[in-house]
Amino acid sequence: MRYRLLKDTGDLKIKVYGRTYTEIFNNAVYAMSMSIIKFHNPKIEVEKNIELHTNNYESLLINLLNDVLFYFETQDTLFFNSKLNVDDFYGVTGKLLGMHIPEKVNYEYIIKAATYHDLEIMPDKNHAIIVFDI
């Protein structure tokens, strides 16, 4: 299991699993995207190189997820998978993998943004908690 939805009033709260920052970041991209649209066998149509740097892991994760949302909103592309590497200097590099959104699709959640509210990133406890504004 890569993630699970948690109960929350008014927002979408997700528990993402992973033993490293790299695992957590890759699973967070997947969890957020699958919460927007449930695809059963998505085909990779689009690849995008990404490189981000910040001064802490919390900002790095939030910036990454909000970048994925930006591409979704502006380019009708949902990056549901990734091949990311998170380094010890608060950087992430790699590829986002996704597809163009079909015209007729059923949305699970309309996510506005990833937030810092209740954010926890704890690879030593094998998880992260992320709250999304919906």
Side-chain angles (χ1 to χ4, degrees):
M1 181 186 311
R2 295 169 78 174
Y3 74 98
R4 72 182 171 100
L5 301 180
L6 301 176
K7 291 186 182 194
D8 194 65
T9 55
D11 291 318
L12 173 64
K13 187 181 251 188
I14 298 177
K15 185 173 194 174
V16 177
Y17 297 101
R19 292 182 295 267
T20 65
Y21 286 104
T22 294
E23 264 185 49
I24 287 172
F25 279 52
N26 280 296
N27 287 342
V29 169
Y30 177 82
M32 181 183 72
S33 296
M34 289 299 156
S35 297
I36 295 171
I37 302 171
K38 295 263 191 262
F39 288 110
H40 293 291
N41 289 315
K43 293 185 171 78
I44 296 171
E45 302 171 339
V46 182
E47 290 186 15
K48 181 158 189 67
N49 291 325
I50 190 159
E51 183 175 342
L52 297 171
H53 299 276
T54 63
N55 57 2
N56 60 59
Y57 291 116
E58 291 79 10
S59 294
L60 190 62
L61 180 59
I62 296 301
N63 289 349
L64 170 68
L65 295 173
N66 284 329
D67 279 3
V68 172
L69 286 172
F70 174 79
Y71 299 126
F72 174 68
E73 291 293 327
T74 62
Q75 299 174 11
D76 293 326
T77 301
L78 185 61
F79 292 106
F80 55 85
N81 209 343
S82 57
K83 294 181 181 178
L84 303 173
N85 184 51
V86 178
D87 64 37
D88 294 335
F89 304 103
Y90 311 119
V92 62
T93 56
K95 289 186 184 221
L96 297 172
L97 309 168
M99 65 185 287
H100 298 291
I101 304 303
E103 281 187 31
K104 294 182 182 182
V105 67
N106 293 324
Y107 292 94
E108 297 289 322
Y109 290 95
I110 305 297
I111 296 177
K112 297 176 188 172
T115 71
Y116 288 93
H117 178 70
D118 287 342
L119 179 64
E120 297 177 8
I121 307 173
M122 302 174 14
D124 57 325
K125 295 189 178 180
N126 300 324
H127 76 271
I129 305 288
I130 308 162
V131 177
F132 297 92
D133 186 18
I134 57 173

